[in-house]
Amino acid sequence: MALTRVHNRLIAGAPVNVKDYGAVGDGVTDDTAAIQAALSSLVEYGELYFPSRSYLVSDSILCAVSNITVSGYGAKITQSGSSKTTLRFNSVSGIKVLGLSFVGLGTEFNSGSTSWNGVAAVYLDTCTDVSISDCVMTNHAGGSIRWGGSASGFTITKNKVVGVGVAGGISAGDNGGDIAIGSFGSAGDNDIIVSNNNISEHAFGIYIARGEDCVIESNVIHDIQGQHGAYLSDQSNTVVIGNTFSSIANNGIKDQISVDSTTASDVLITSNIFSDIGLSGVEVGKTTGVTGSSLSRVTVSNNIFNDVGTYGIVFNSVNDSIVLGNSINNTGAYGIFWDEGNGSISSNTIKNADWNAIYLQVNNDTTVKNNTVINAVLNTRGTTPATRLYYYVYITKGSEATANPKVFFSGNTLSQTGTVPPDFTKVVRTGSLVDVYWDNNTNLTTKGWQIGSTVELKRMDIGFSPTVDYTVGANLSPTTPIYGRGRRELYGTQDPATAAMTDTFRAGDICWDATPSASGFVGWICTTAGTPGTWKTFGTISA
């Protein structure tokens, strides 16, 4: 009679009920064989249905049929076998898993391992066109939704995913191959959407790798005790938008190139909220030792960062990229750290940076404009800081630069409230071998600006600063001309002709004396155009 009912349902296209194959659903009886038989009976476009009961299984349930649905709103499947995936799909497409609750054994976590240990609620091996939604997955020690091989066309949405957490022995820095959603071993993640999930208590939150056209959107990722909230590896054309990251052991988002001779680009990280992050809010760059690879056109915009252990945003060897409109508050080290790269840093607000608000080692032309910095160089979290940490903004040439990079520093507001930090030396330091264009910045601190010994000051229109003082060095004997206020202006200790400059000047160009003295002169003015032209002193200073 039972087989007749099953046959009739298959013909009519009705769902296959696991109870028709002998599943008891009392939470005590092992229903593995019954569920496997029910699933194996499906043909394409069939549906396996779990009534709202509690099912116990001791092994993996395997499926190799495409275009099926597995559903059971209110049903719970508990895994009692060690290192077992509950549902495993092999080389199939068109799969839907809806409304089920999965409970793992929860004892298999290995903090020292980096390879997947076979534990998951759902595992997808070389699958395409998969939808997993409205599921609850708890106590899985290797991850909840995992995949391997190639993966494309996945939509993972509206699931609640809770790992083994502290009870499973996960500590900061642990790996364990434990990823809530994703895979270490994927051959390429393409067209993956992970949205509106609540993810917690795994070593990793989301891991997307070696592909493109993926979206991580509107997830709540919290209490990740081992590593990162979201991890992008060798990924292009990917968007991370509108997520909330809180209580993350390492980085909120890590985006990196980890393989030699790899090119990745066009990643957008926008409108996310980060709080209580152990290391950096967003870290982007190449893994140490990777060669022949490049990462470019990364945009980090309109995010909110509060209480970050080290850096708000860190870029390492990232070119042609944008940091725009972010709010960064209370960082344990740098607000923005950009090492070996170029692009634009604009319209960000950085408050209470323990080290520099912005630290740049640029390898090509870079714009820093319209940023607001309130309190930096606090240096309250460590021992005696290095000299490079004495400044709100530190800009210098990167080792990868082939020529002097241009830095356009304009429209920024730098201010200080409360007690002046004892290590605060200058508001901005421009280090070696960069060409600086300083335009209309507002300095509301008590400190001036320091020019490195080999900086070329190309333009200066201060804006406002109560203290504008400069380190006098060989670069002021004199500097390359500044373009500002209609004429070329320089600061130097001698006129351009005496300095044997090779630039061409017009009559009326001025070189201001950077070291004026009593009975000396205000500076020198070009009276005859030329290269470098004829220069005369002007403005006698009384004794």
Side-chain angles (χ1 to χ4, degrees):
M1 182 64 69
L3 290 176
T4 301
R5 286 199 303 268
V6 171
H7 179 71
N8 290 338
R9 284 176 180 172
L10 286 173
I11 292 173
V16 172
N17 191 321
V18 294
K19 293 188 68 178
D20 290 339
Y21 281 81
V24 177
D26 61 0
V28 177
T29 304
D30 188 343
D31 289 324
T32 304
I35 295 171
Q36 181 67 71
L39 185 56
S40 297
S41 76
L42 290 184
V43 295
E44 278 199 281
Y45 307 105
E47 179 177 351
L48 181 67
Y49 171 66
F50 288 80
S52 180
R53 304 196 63 158
S54 182
Y55 303 88
L56 180 69
V57 298
S58 59
D59 206 344
S60 300
I61 310 297
L62 306 177
C63 179
V65 179
S66 294
N67 300 309
I68 65 166
T69 299
V70 180
S71 68
Y73 287 86
K76 180 171 72 172
I77 306 173
T78 300
Q79 178 63 255
S80 64
S82 179
S83 300
K84 301 295 184 181
T85 287
T86 298
L87 288 181
R88 185 179 184 110
F89 298 89
N90 294 331
S91 301
V92 293
S93 63
I95 301 300
K96 294 181 180 179
V97 180
L98 310 174
L100 289 165
S101 177
F102 297 84
V103 180
L105 184 64
T107 60
E108 307 95 331
F109 181 76
N110 179 354
S111 63
S113 172
T114 58
S115 61
W116 178 59
N117 58 12
V119 180
V122 178
Y123 188 81
L124 305 155
D125 186 2
T126 313
C127 295
T128 62
D129 188 19
V130 174
S131 177
I132 302 174
S133 64
D134 300 315
C135 293
V136 177
M137 302 170 178
T138 60
N139 210 39
H140 294 86
S144 293
I145 302 173
R146 299 296 304 268
W147 58 80
S150 58
S152 65
F154 289 7
T155 299
I156 300 169
T157 183
K158 299 180 182 179
N159 301 287
K160 182 176 182 180
V161 177
V162 183
V164 296
V166 174
I170 301 177
S171 301
D174 283 350
N175 187 322
D178 175 60
I179 302 166
I181 298 174
S183 175
F184 276 113
S186 174
D189 296 336
N190 299 285
D191 191 22
I192 308 290
I193 298 173
V194 182
S195 69
N196 293 286
N197 301 283
N198 189 301
I199 301 168
S200 64
E201 299 190 39
H202 280 280
F204 291 84
I206 299 169
Y207 193 114
I208 304 291
R210 292 172 286 281
E212 60 183 6
D213 298 327
C214 296
V215 177
I216 299 173
E217 179 178 12
S218 301
N219 301 281
V220 177
I221 304 171
H222 60 102
D223 298 291
I224 301 298
Q225 288 106 348
Q227 295 281 339
H228 317 300
Y231 197 168
L232 311 178
S233 182
D234 311 308
Q235 193 71 21
S236 294
N237 300 311
T238 290
V239 176
V240 184
I241 181 171
N243 302 280
T244 299
F245 298 86
S246 63
S247 298
I248 310 295
N250 283 0
N251 301 309
I253 298 173
K254 185 168 184 177
D255 175 18
Q256 72 166 10
I257 294 281
S258 57
V259 180
D260 290 346
S261 303
T262 299
T263 299
S265 65
D266 300 292
V267 174
L268 173 62
I269 299 172
T270 186
S271 304
N272 302 284
I273 299 174
F274 302 82
S275 62
D276 188 20
I277 308 298
L279 294 181
S280 300
V282 173
E283 179 180 326
V284 183
K286 294 191 295 186
T287 302
T288 302
V290 168
T291 60
S293 297
S294 67
L295 181 58
S296 62
R297 298 195 300 276
V298 177
T299 298
V300 179
S301 66
N302 301 312
N303 301 284
I304 297 173
F305 301 85
N306 285 307
D307 299 319
V308 178
T310 54
Y311 311 157
I313 300 168
V314 54
F315 279 12
N316 176 22
S317 296
V318 184
N319 295 312
D320 301 321
S321 295
I322 297 171
V323 178
L324 169 68
N326 300 282
S327 174
I328 304 171
N329 181 44
N330 197 23
T331 59
Y334 303 99
I336 298 171
F337 180 94
W338 200 331
D339 183 14
E340 300 295 347
N342 65 87
S344 172
I345 298 175
S346 61
S347 301
N348 302 283
T349 299
I350 305 168
K351 298 180 181 179
N352 303 319
D354 207 56
W355 295 356
N356 309 129
I358 300 174
Y359 184 97
L360 297 177
Q361 291 185 341
V362 294
N363 60 23
N364 213 323
D365 299 349
T366 296
T367 298
V368 182
K369 68 177 181 179
N370 300 334
N371 300 285
T372 299
V373 177
I374 304 171
N375 298 338
V377 198
L378 301 177
N379 292 326
T380 60
R381 303 195 189 189
T383 56
T384 303
T387 305
R388 71 175 185 277
L389 308 179
Y390 293 169
Y391 314 92
Y392 272 34
V393 179
Y394 189 112
I395 303 170
T396 190
K397 179 182 179 179
S399 61
E400 297 177 2
T402 57
N404 284 22
K406 298 179 177 65
V407 176
F408 302 91
F409 194 81
S410 65
N412 301 285
T413 300
L414 312 166
S415 65
Q416 166 195 314
T417 62
T419 304
V420 178
D423 299 307
F424 182 18
T425 301
K426 302 286 183 181
V427 67
V428 178
R429 178 178 179 180
T430 47
S432 300
L433 300 174
V434 291
D435 293 346
V436 178
Y437 297 74
W438 176 287
D439 190 17
N440 200 31
N441 298 286
T442 300
N443 173 20
L444 300 177
T445 76
T446 59
K447 305 296 183 179
W449 175 35
Q450 181 172 330
I451 303 172
S453 61
T454 55
V455 167
E456 294 288 2
L457 189 57
K458 295 289 189 179
R459 171 183 168 85
M460 186 176 66
D461 194 345
I462 288 297
F464 173 79
S465 179
T467 306
V468 183
D469 53 347
Y470 304 99
T471 302
V472 176
N475 61 308
L476 293 177
S477 300
T479 69
T480 299
I482 305 160
Y483 294 82
R485 294 186 291 272
R487 287 289 184 181
R488 302 178 76 179
E489 299 184 38
L490 307 82
Y491 284 81
T493 56
Q494 56 186 317
D495 67 82
T498 304
M501 293 187 68
T502 58
D503 278 38
T504 299
F505 295 91
R506 298 176 301 165
D509 290 343
I510 291 172
C511 179
W512 301 96
D513 192 345
T515 55
S517 60
S519 301
F521 300 92
V522 172
W524 301 267
I525 187 168
C526 181
T527 57
T528 304
T531 306
T534 302
W535 291 79
K536 302 294 183 181
T537 57
F538 74 93
T540 302
I541 302 172
S542 67

